[in-house]
Amino acid sequence: MKNLFLTAFILLNNSIIQAQELKSPEGKFVMQFSLLDDGTPTYNLTYKNKDVIKPSTLGLELKDDKKSLLDDFIILDAKQTSFDETWKPVWGEVNKIRNHYNELAVTLKQKETERLIIIRFRLFDDGLGFRYEFPTQKNLTYFIIKEEKTQFAMTGDHTAFWIPGDYDTQEYDYTQSKLSEIRGLSEKAFTENVSQKSFSPTGVQTSLMMKSKEGIYINLHEAALINYSCMHLNLDDKSMIFQSWLTPDAKGDKGYMQAPNFSPWRTIIVSDDAREILNSKMTLNLNEPCKIEDTSWIKPIKYVGVWWEMITGKSSWAYTNDFPSVQLGITDYSKATPNKTHGANSKHVKEYIDFAALHGFNAVLVEGWNEGWEDWFGHSKDYVFDFVTPYPDFDVKGIQAYAKSKGVKMMMHHETSSSVRNYERHMDKAYQFMKDNGYDSVKSGYVGDILPSGENHYNQWSVNHYQYAIEKAADYKIMVNAHEAIRPTGISRTYPNLIGNESARGTEYQAFGGSKPNHVTILPFTRLIGGPMDYTPGIFEMDISKLNPDNKSHVNSTIANQLALYVTMYSPLQMAADLIEHYNAFPDAFQFIKDVAVDWDESKYLEAEPGNYITVARKAKGTNNWFVGNVNGDNSRTSIINFYFLDKGKKYTAILYADAKDAHYKTNPQAYTITKSTITNKSKLSQLSAPGGGYAISIVESK
């Protein structure tokens, strides 16, 4: 009997060690960790007593190693802790963020190799984050990842909002389908881009948004992507299990690791209310606190610029048509014939400086100012730009002086043509040139295939370059807006000089054939989960042939929708992207763009359904002014909101910019109405949103 009791005690104690449970602070989530009989780590997640992630395995497959980090583990230790803090972002949707979670750190030992890994779980009230950690040890120091084998086992054939898995671009329209339909729709979803590389007919990218038939919203992504390859997801559409799929380098390797080290966080945000997905700050919370001691130079920006005219084909980046090829330092531009279509000339740029000064914009972006655009793309050209030598018709010093006299900053443009080594070669000189000439921010670009050849936009090597550029820019007190780079993963908390990214299908595609009218109702649930997007809204002329007769594209949006984007597409960096003459043609609608803030104290998500609509209210930083934006999808809809967020007992003047009754993104996009009224926190609004439409409201406390 004594031996039987002892055996039972040992079995019970072993089961306690082998299975660990973690609850979120409010108790809505429960995560369970355990080992299978062969020592394979597994986890599962429930939300309000409903399965969200079924038992899923964890681990990493190693290259040229006799045993991978997949199984044969025992639990050496399991520690639970709690954490609760409130921190203030340098800029953001809100002026303070609560970081509250319960943590479980499981130390595993692989019996055969005696290697140690730690799997750290953090369970918040909005979801789960976990990562792999590799402590200092003699049996695991340098190793190569062949593949990360993290699973996310779905509970059913969910509806997903997805773009194809791709090592080089996220610039796709989203497809809405069942998980089981991804394979059949993948080829159609994979549209042409100047640099792309797919890997699987069931591969998709994060941030992935899903909705179960029970009405549970699930978002899969990653946080704090540092010194590691970008994670995609590959679906086993028979079992409905996603597995992580890292981006390889030119040799096919997916990560070079040196202990001590750790992976990015894998994130699962869950709610039965779509608004809470948009409201989640978990991705930011899983990043390290700000590493920039003095952040006073980091300021949100509203800007205009010489850009849209080149995107549409009205103007050109290149200065001359004389040269079939250019060699920097050798080609003599002083002898070239100007093509008379070059947009970045001093006279034209001064027009934008005048416009910015007149209407209160902070900065002017100019693309195509520097030598090399005649043969910049498609030639695997290493020394493509030097980032400091202007064309003959762009007077750097003269423009600097003129902008300064008008109280306007200039925004630098660095297109790298994805010649990454060349950019790093010139980076210090380029950043110093910016400081010498009054530029505080840079829009960088990575169009085309990465050089050196064979590298991808999203592998570890490229990810490290983007991070190097951000950190180097911080040394020079420069803000970065990176286009075609890796999609953000909350790193702006640590380095808030990363004030924007593109890394998705932005407004430029409206001039490349158009985007789906519901595109902007999906992006906040996907791309923006990791950080703000330089979406470049504010287009008022939807018929692109009026700018360039050879371009038959149409902007699939109403003017009211374009106004709303300044609120719904959060960014501390907002561009009024259209031409001066188009804003002058609609000065009453343009007023909203002039008035809307770019930094906020509070944000309230009022309505949300991915692919259909989003309505959000935001309170401008340091004021009592609010702005509301609503964007609508393909079908006409009546939006119903109330103004509970306004102060009790106070009256406000509200100006509503809305779709006219006959507005439609395709047939009547410029039809809008503007009405003024007095409202209180008890007021309600029932407002029609046209297909591809929406509305915007500016709210100012009455004196």
Side-chain angles (χ1 to χ4, degrees):
M1 179 65 72
K2 182 178 180 181
N3 289 338
L4 181 62
F5 176 79
L6 181 61
T7 301
F9 176 80
I10 292 172
L11 288 172
L12 178 61
N13 189 56
N14 187 60
S15 67
I16 292 172
I17 293 174
Q18 298 299 309
Q20 301 290 327
E21 183 175 277
L22 181 67
K23 292 185 178 180
S24 60
E26 293 182 358
K28 292 184 294 185
F29 289 94
V30 177
M31 191 281 301
Q32 292 182 326
F33 174 86
S34 62
L35 295 177
L36 300 180
D37 291 342
D38 66 353
T40 299
T42 71
Y43 77 101
N44 67 282
L45 182 66
T46 62
Y47 169 70
K48 294 184 177 179
N49 299 316
K50 295 179 181 179
D51 288 336
V52 174
I53 304 293
K54 297 191 298 184
S56 303
T57 59
L58 301 167
L60 297 103
E61 182 180 2
L62 306 185
K63 178 184 178 182
D64 299 330
D65 204 301
K66 66 177 183 179
K67 192 170 184 65
S68 291
L69 300 172
L70 295 171
D71 55 18
D72 195 33
F73 287 106
I74 59 172
I75 297 177
L76 282 189
D77 189 27
K79 292 181 180 178
Q80 289 202 25
T81 56
S82 295
F83 185 81
D84 193 358
E85 70 167 359
T86 298
W87 58 278
K88 291 184 175 294
V90 175
W91 44 259
E93 296 182 85
V94 293
N95 60 12
K96 59 184 178 181
I97 295 174
R98 189 181 185 189
N99 185 13
H100 189 198
Y101 59 81
N102 292 331
E103 179 178 285
L104 170 65
V106 183
T107 302
L108 301 176
K109 178 181 178 180
Q110 195 170 47
K111 291 183 289 185
E112 180 181 330
T113 66
E114 297 189 341
R115 290 170 170 172
L116 302 178
I117 66 170
I118 299 169
I119 305 179
R120 190 176 302 274
F121 299 91
R122 289 182 181 173
L123 198 50
F124 301 78
D125 287 323
D126 46 353
L128 175 68
F130 61 90
R131 73 180 183 187
Y132 303 94
E133 300 180 1
F134 312 100
T136 301
Q137 57 196 290
K138 64 179 181 180
N139 292 338
L140 188 68
T141 302
Y142 293 95
F143 57 101
I144 300 173
I145 297 174
K146 184 176 181 180
E147 188 58 87
E148 182 185 316
K149 296 288 188 177
T150 302
Q151 287 187 346
F152 305 86
M154 299 295 102
T155 61
D157 190 10
H158 301 335
T159 297
F161 302 83
W162 58 275
I163 56 176
D166 194 300
Y167 297 152
D168 284 297
T169 185
Q170 285 202 303
E171 295 178 351
Y172 292 108
D173 247 329
Y174 282 86
T175 299
Q176 177 180 341
S177 77
K178 297 291 186 183
L179 295 178
S180 60
E181 297 171 333
I182 291 176
R183 182 183 299 273
L185 295 171
S186 182
E187 184 176 352
K188 182 179 179 182
F190 192 76
T191 51
E192 185 177 355
N193 194 282
V194 295
S195 180
Q196 57 189 157
K197 189 180 296 181
S198 65
F199 59 85
S200 167
T202 56
V204 297
Q205 300 193 50
T206 70
S207 173
L208 176 67
M209 188 68 206
M210 292 174 284
K211 183 180 181 181
S212 74
K213 65 179 181 181
E214 295 82 16
I216 304 297
Y217 300 89
I218 305 164
N219 186 282
L220 303 181
H221 194 29
E222 61 181 323
L225 174 55
I226 301 284
N227 192 23
Y228 204 85
S229 291
C230 170
M231 180 185 73
H232 307 276
L233 300 170
N234 198 36
L235 176 67
D236 181 337
D237 47 7
K238 293 183 179 179
S239 63
M240 298 302 165
I241 296 176
F242 284 107
Q243 183 171 286
S244 57
W245 186 288
L246 303 182
T247 306
D249 67 4
K251 294 164 54 179
D253 297 331
K254 298 199 171 186
Y256 301 95
M257 307 294 287
Q258 177 187 355
N261 210 332
F262 44 80
S263 74
W265 296 92
R266 281 60 188 99
T267 62
I268 309 167
I269 304 172
V270 182
S271 181
D272 52 12
D273 186 337
R275 296 174 298 176
E276 292 305 312
I277 302 293
L278 299 175
N279 200 45
S280 173
K281 301 298 182 289
M282 193 173 82
T283 310
L284 288 172
N285 281 330
L286 286 167
N287 278 265
E288 294 184 15
C290 180
K291 290 188 176 182
I292 300 174
E293 187 173 342
D294 173 21
T295 60
S296 60
W297 51 275
I298 302 173
K299 301 181 184 298
I301 300 171
K302 195 188 299 183
Y303 70 105
V304 295
V306 183
W307 173 75
W308 185 242
E309 59 193 80
M310 281 94 84
I311 291 294
T312 58
K314 182 178 187 291
S315 300
S316 67
W317 282 274
Y319 169 74
T320 181
N321 300 332
D322 288 354
F323 305 137
S325 70
V326 169
Q327 292 180 300
L328 298 180
I330 298 175
T331 301
D332 187 355
Y333 279 95
S334 68
K335 297 178 180 178
T337 305
N339 58 21
K340 298 184 179 180
T341 60
H342 183 226
N345 64 80
S346 293
K347 180 177 181 296
H348 189 43
V349 170
K350 287 180 179 179
E351 293 172 353
Y352 271 89
I353 293 172
D354 289 342
F355 185 79
L358 177 64
H359 295 290
F361 287 82
N362 307 110
V364 174
L365 166 74
V366 180
E367 294 199 10
W369 67 276
N370 55 317
E371 290 184 358
W373 286 92
E374 285 73 19
D375 67 344
W376 73 283
F377 173 74
H379 305 295
S380 297
K381 186 178 181 181
D382 181 52
Y383 188 21
V384 57
F385 294 115
D386 68 8
F387 312 101
V388 297
T389 306
Y391 279 127
D393 62 346
F394 187 80
D395 178 6
V396 173
K397 292 297 183 182
I399 289 294
Q400 176 196 9
Y402 191 78
K404 186 176 181 180
S405 73
K406 297 286 186 173
V408 174
K409 284 284 187 178
M410 297 301 296
M411 182 182 292
M412 179 55 73
H413 181 237
H414 288 168
E415 176 54 61
T416 70
S417 191
S418 284
S419 183
V420 174
R421 181 177 62 179
N422 181 62
Y423 192 33
E424 291 188 359
R425 183 190 298 134
H426 289 89
M427 195 174 286
D428 277 294
K429 187 177 180 181
Y431 285 164
Q432 187 60 55
F433 180 84
M434 287 178 58
K435 299 308 292 184
D436 292 344
N437 291 282
Y439 292 82
D440 296 333
S441 57
V442 60
K443 174 184 176 181
S444 56
Y446 296 87
V447 175
D449 293 335
I450 293 286
L451 291 178
S453 296
E455 300 294 345
N456 296 301
H457 279 75
Y458 303 153
N459 63 15
Q460 183 184 29
W461 187 85
S462 294
V463 167
N464 287 347
H465 162 76
Y466 305 134
Q467 188 64 30
Y468 175 78
I470 297 166
E471 295 183 27
K472 177 66 72 172
D475 292 341
Y476 287 86
K477 295 187 176 181
I478 287 172
M479 297 177 285
V480 176
N481 166 28
H483 282 226
E484 296 91 29
I486 189 69
R487 76 284 192 279
T489 56
I491 290 170
S492 58
R493 178 189 180 186
T494 313
Y495 291 94
N497 65 316
L498 180 62
I499 56 169
N501 287 98
E502 183 193 38
S503 307
R505 188 181 177 101
T507 298
E508 63 185 2
Y509 278 84
Q510 297 281 21
F512 301 160
S515 295
K516 295 177 182 177
N518 73 340
H519 186 57
V520 294
T521 70
I522 300 173
L523 282 171
F525 287 99
T526 52
R527 161 62 184 77
L528 271 72
I529 291 295
M533 180 178 178
D534 183 28
Y535 188 71
T536 61
I539 305 303
F540 283 8
E541 178 51 69
M542 313 307 176
D543 183 356
I544 304 302
S545 67
K546 291 183 179 179
L547 286 75
N548 174 11
D550 296 327
N551 189 339
K552 306 302 181 184
S553 298
H554 182 87
V555 179
N556 294 323
S557 167
T558 68
I559 284 182
N561 178 282
Q562 289 290 310
L563 299 180
L565 292 172
Y566 289 91
V567 187
T568 62
M569 292 285 291
Y570 167 68
S571 179
L573 179 75
Q574 293 282 16
M575 184 182 194
D578 210 338
L579 307 187
I580 291 174
E581 52 264 38
H582 296 155
Y583 291 134
N584 288 338
F586 300 96
D588 52 355
F590 183 57
Q591 186 63 44
F592 181 83
I593 299 178
K594 293 168 58 176
D595 293 341
V596 69
V598 289
D599 201 15
W600 311 98
D601 278 335
E602 297 180 53
S603 293
K604 307 291 184 182
Y605 287 94
L606 308 178
E607 302 176 301
E609 183 63 32
N612 291 314
Y613 54 85
I614 295 173
T615 310
V616 59
R618 304 191 194 274
K619 186 179 182 181
K621 179 79 73 177
T623 76
N624 203 25
N625 300 335
W626 287 81
F627 295 87
V628 178
N630 164 269
V631 289
N632 191 38
D634 299 72
N635 301 312
S636 181
R637 175 182 176 271
T638 298
S639 169
I640 300 175
I641 63 170
N642 63 63
F643 297 91
Y644 71 91
F645 47 85
L646 300 177
D647 291 343
K648 293 181 180 179
K650 292 184 177 180
K651 292 183 179 181
Y652 295 80
T653 299
I655 302 176
L656 171 65
Y657 303 78
D659 293 320
K661 290 183 178 180
D662 57 347
H664 189 283
Y665 73 89
K666 201 72 172 180
T667 59
N668 200 12
Q670 294 176 322
Y672 61 89
T673 62
I674 301 176
T675 56
K676 182 183 290 188
S677 61
T678 299
I679 63 172
T680 69
N681 74 318
K682 295 181 180 180
S683 299
K684 295 182 179 181
L685 174 69
S686 177
Q687 179 60 48
L688 174 71
S689 289
Y695 60 84
I697 314 174
S698 64
I699 303 171
V700 178
E701 184 179 345
S702 301
K703 301 298 184 181

Short mmCIF file of all heavy atoms in Angstrom, two decimals, residues 148 150 152 204-206 220-222 225 229-233 244-247 265-267 458 487:
data_model
loop_
_atom_site.label_atom_id
_atom_site.label_comp_id
_atom_site.label_asym_id
_atom_site.label_seq_id
_atom_site.Cartn_x
_atom_site.Cartn_y
_atom_site.Cartn_z
N GLU A 148 11.39 27.11 -38.54
CA GLU A 148 10.68 27.16 -37.26
C GLU A 148 9.38 26.39 -37.41
O GLU A 148 8.66 26.55 -38.39
CB GLU A 148 10.39 28.61 -36.87
CG GLU A 148 9.70 28.75 -35.54
CD GLU A 148 9.31 30.18 -35.22
OE1 GLU A 148 10.13 31.09 -35.45
OE2 GLU A 148 8.16 30.38 -34.76
N THR A 150 6.56 26.27 -35.43
CA THR A 150 5.46 26.71 -34.59
C THR A 150 4.12 26.48 -35.28
O THR A 150 3.94 26.88 -36.44
CB THR A 150 5.62 28.21 -34.26
OG1 THR A 150 6.87 28.42 -33.63
CG2 THR A 150 4.50 28.69 -33.37
N PHE A 152 -0.20 26.81 -35.31
CA PHE A 152 -1.41 27.49 -34.86
C PHE A 152 -2.58 26.66 -35.40
O PHE A 152 -2.97 26.81 -36.56
CB PHE A 152 -1.48 28.92 -35.40
CG PHE A 152 -0.29 29.77 -35.07
CD1 PHE A 152 0.84 29.76 -35.89
CD2 PHE A 152 -0.29 30.58 -33.95
CE1 PHE A 152 1.94 30.55 -35.61
CE2 PHE A 152 0.82 31.38 -33.65
CZ PHE A 152 1.93 31.36 -34.48
N VAL A 204 0.33 32.27 -46.58
CA VAL A 204 -0.23 33.61 -46.39
C VAL A 204 0.71 34.40 -45.50
O VAL A 204 1.61 33.85 -44.87
CB VAL A 204 -1.64 33.57 -45.78
CG1 VAL A 204 -2.62 32.85 -46.70
CG2 VAL A 204 -1.62 32.89 -44.41
N GLN A 205 0.47 35.71 -45.44
CA GLN A 205 1.32 36.58 -44.65
C GLN A 205 0.61 37.04 -43.39
O GLN A 205 -0.63 37.06 -43.31
CB GLN A 205 1.75 37.78 -45.49
CG GLN A 205 2.54 37.39 -46.74
CD GLN A 205 3.23 38.55 -47.39
OE1 GLN A 205 3.92 39.33 -46.75
NE2 GLN A 205 3.07 38.68 -48.70
N THR A 206 1.41 37.41 -42.42
CA THR A 206 0.86 38.05 -41.23
C THR A 206 0.99 39.57 -41.42
O THR A 206 1.82 40.03 -42.21
CB THR A 206 1.61 37.62 -39.96
OG1 THR A 206 2.92 38.17 -39.96
CG2 THR A 206 1.68 36.11 -39.85
N LEU A 220 -3.31 36.65 -36.15
CA LEU A 220 -1.99 36.03 -35.96
C LEU A 220 -0.93 36.95 -36.54
O LEU A 220 -1.02 37.39 -37.69
CB LEU A 220 -1.92 34.67 -36.67
CG LEU A 220 -2.96 33.62 -36.28
CD1 LEU A 220 -2.72 32.33 -37.07
CD2 LEU A 220 -2.94 33.35 -34.79
N HIS A 221 0.11 37.21 -35.77
CA HIS A 221 1.17 38.11 -36.22
C HIS A 221 2.44 37.80 -35.43
O HIS A 221 2.55 36.74 -34.79
CB HIS A 221 0.73 39.56 -36.03
CG HIS A 221 1.56 40.56 -36.76
ND1 HIS A 221 2.23 40.29 -37.94
CD2 HIS A 221 1.86 41.86 -36.46
CE1 HIS A 221 2.87 41.37 -38.34
NE2 HIS A 221 2.68 42.33 -37.46
N GLU A 222 3.39 38.72 -35.46
CA GLU A 222 4.59 38.61 -34.66
C GLU A 222 4.96 40.00 -34.15
O GLU A 222 4.56 41.01 -34.72
CB GLU A 222 5.75 37.99 -35.44
CG GLU A 222 6.21 38.75 -36.67
CD GLU A 222 7.35 38.03 -37.38
OE1 GLU A 222 8.23 37.45 -36.71
OE2 GLU A 222 7.37 38.06 -38.63
N LEU A 225 10.36 41.92 -34.25
CA LEU A 225 11.17 41.20 -35.24
C LEU A 225 12.54 41.85 -35.32
O LEU A 225 12.73 42.85 -36.00
CB LEU A 225 10.46 41.21 -36.60
CG LEU A 225 11.22 40.62 -37.78
CD1 LEU A 225 11.67 39.19 -37.51
CD2 LEU A 225 10.37 40.68 -39.06
N SER A 229 14.35 36.13 -39.27
CA SER A 229 13.60 36.20 -40.52
C SER A 229 12.12 36.44 -40.27
O SER A 229 11.55 35.96 -39.28
CB SER A 229 13.77 34.90 -41.31
OG SER A 229 15.08 34.77 -41.79
N CYS A 230 11.49 37.15 -41.19
CA CYS A 230 10.05 37.39 -41.14
C CYS A 230 9.29 36.07 -41.20
O CYS A 230 9.62 35.16 -41.96
CB CYS A 230 9.65 38.27 -42.32
SG CYS A 230 7.87 38.43 -42.59
N MET A 231 8.25 35.96 -40.39
CA MET A 231 7.43 34.77 -40.34
C MET A 231 6.21 34.89 -41.25
O MET A 231 5.44 35.85 -41.17
CB MET A 231 6.94 34.49 -38.91
CG MET A 231 6.08 33.23 -38.79
SD MET A 231 5.39 32.97 -37.14
CE MET A 231 4.12 34.24 -37.08
N HIS A 232 6.05 33.91 -42.14
CA HIS A 232 4.82 33.71 -42.88
C HIS A 232 4.09 32.52 -42.26
O HIS A 232 4.58 31.90 -41.31
CB HIS A 232 5.11 33.42 -44.35
CG HIS A 232 5.98 34.45 -45.00
ND1 HIS A 232 5.49 35.62 -45.52
CD2 HIS A 232 7.32 34.48 -45.20
CE1 HIS A 232 6.49 36.34 -46.01
NE2 HIS A 232 7.61 35.66 -45.84
N LEU A 233 2.94 32.20 -42.79
CA LEU A 233 2.17 31.05 -42.32
C LEU A 233 1.83 30.15 -43.49
O LEU A 233 1.40 30.64 -44.54
CB LEU A 233 0.88 31.52 -41.64
CG LEU A 233 1.04 32.42 -40.42
CD1 LEU A 233 -0.32 32.99 -40.01
CD2 LEU A 233 1.68 31.67 -39.26
N SER A 244 4.46 28.05 -38.93
CA SER A 244 5.35 29.16 -39.28
C SER A 244 6.24 28.77 -40.45
O SER A 244 6.62 27.61 -40.62
CB SER A 244 6.20 29.55 -38.07
OG SER A 244 6.94 28.43 -37.61
N TRP A 245 6.54 29.76 -41.28
CA TRP A 245 7.38 29.56 -42.47
C TRP A 245 8.26 30.79 -42.59
O TRP A 245 7.81 31.86 -42.97
CB TRP A 245 6.50 29.37 -43.71
CG TRP A 245 7.25 29.02 -44.95
CD1 TRP A 245 8.05 29.84 -45.69
CD2 TRP A 245 7.26 27.76 -45.61
NE1 TRP A 245 8.56 29.16 -46.77
CE2 TRP A 245 8.10 27.87 -46.75
CE3 TRP A 245 6.65 26.52 -45.37
CZ2 TRP A 245 8.33 26.83 -47.63
CZ3 TRP A 245 6.88 25.48 -46.24
CH2 TRP A 245 7.71 25.62 -47.37
N LEU A 246 9.53 30.64 -42.25
CA LEU A 246 10.45 31.77 -42.23
C LEU A 246 10.98 32.07 -43.63
O LEU A 246 11.04 31.20 -44.49
CB LEU A 246 11.61 31.51 -41.29
CG LEU A 246 11.26 31.19 -39.83
CD1 LEU A 246 12.53 31.00 -39.01
CD2 LEU A 246 10.37 32.26 -39.23
N THR A 247 11.40 33.33 -43.84
CA THR A 247 11.94 33.76 -45.13
C THR A 247 13.41 33.36 -45.24
O THR A 247 14.21 33.70 -44.36
CB THR A 247 11.82 35.28 -45.27
OG1 THR A 247 10.46 35.67 -45.04
CG2 THR A 247 12.25 35.73 -46.66
N TRP A 265 8.37 37.53 -30.85
CA TRP A 265 7.16 37.01 -30.23
C TRP A 265 6.17 36.58 -31.31
O TRP A 265 5.99 37.26 -32.31
CB TRP A 265 6.50 38.07 -29.36
CG TRP A 265 7.32 38.50 -28.20
CD1 TRP A 265 8.20 39.55 -28.17
CD2 TRP A 265 7.35 37.91 -26.90
NE1 TRP A 265 8.78 39.65 -26.93
CE2 TRP A 265 8.27 38.66 -26.13
CE3 TRP A 265 6.68 36.84 -26.31
CZ2 TRP A 265 8.55 38.36 -24.79
CZ3 TRP A 265 6.95 36.54 -24.98
CH2 TRP A 265 7.88 37.28 -24.23
N ARG A 266 5.52 35.45 -31.11
CA ARG A 266 4.40 35.02 -31.95
C ARG A 266 3.13 35.47 -31.23
O ARG A 266 2.97 35.19 -30.04
CB ARG A 266 4.41 33.51 -32.15
CG ARG A 266 5.42 33.05 -33.22
CD ARG A 266 6.86 33.41 -32.92
NE ARG A 266 7.73 33.12 -34.05
CZ ARG A 266 8.15 34.02 -34.94
NH1 ARG A 266 7.82 35.28 -34.83
NH2 ARG A 266 8.94 33.65 -35.93
N THR A 267 2.24 36.16 -31.93
CA THR A 267 1.10 36.80 -31.27
C THR A 267 -0.23 36.27 -31.77
O THR A 267 -0.40 35.99 -32.96
CB THR A 267 1.14 38.33 -31.46
OG1 THR A 267 1.03 38.64 -32.86
CG2 THR A 267 2.44 38.90 -30.93
N TYR A 458 12.56 40.07 -46.94
CA TYR A 458 12.08 39.75 -45.60
C TYR A 458 12.94 38.73 -44.87
O TYR A 458 12.52 38.18 -43.86
CB TYR A 458 10.63 39.24 -45.66
CG TYR A 458 9.66 40.20 -46.32
CD1 TYR A 458 8.51 39.74 -46.95
CD2 TYR A 458 9.88 41.57 -46.31
CE1 TYR A 458 7.61 40.61 -47.55
CE2 TYR A 458 9.00 42.46 -46.91
CZ TYR A 458 7.86 41.97 -47.54
OH TYR A 458 6.99 42.84 -48.14
N ARG A 487 7.26 44.58 -42.99
CA ARG A 487 6.10 45.15 -42.29
C ARG A 487 6.40 45.28 -40.81
O ARG A 487 7.11 44.47 -40.24
CB ARG A 487 4.82 44.33 -42.54
CG ARG A 487 4.69 43.03 -41.80
CD ARG A 487 5.54 41.92 -42.37
NE ARG A 487 5.21 40.62 -41.84
CZ ARG A 487 5.62 40.15 -40.68
NH1 ARG A 487 6.35 40.89 -39.88
NH2 ARG A 487 5.27 38.93 -40.29
#
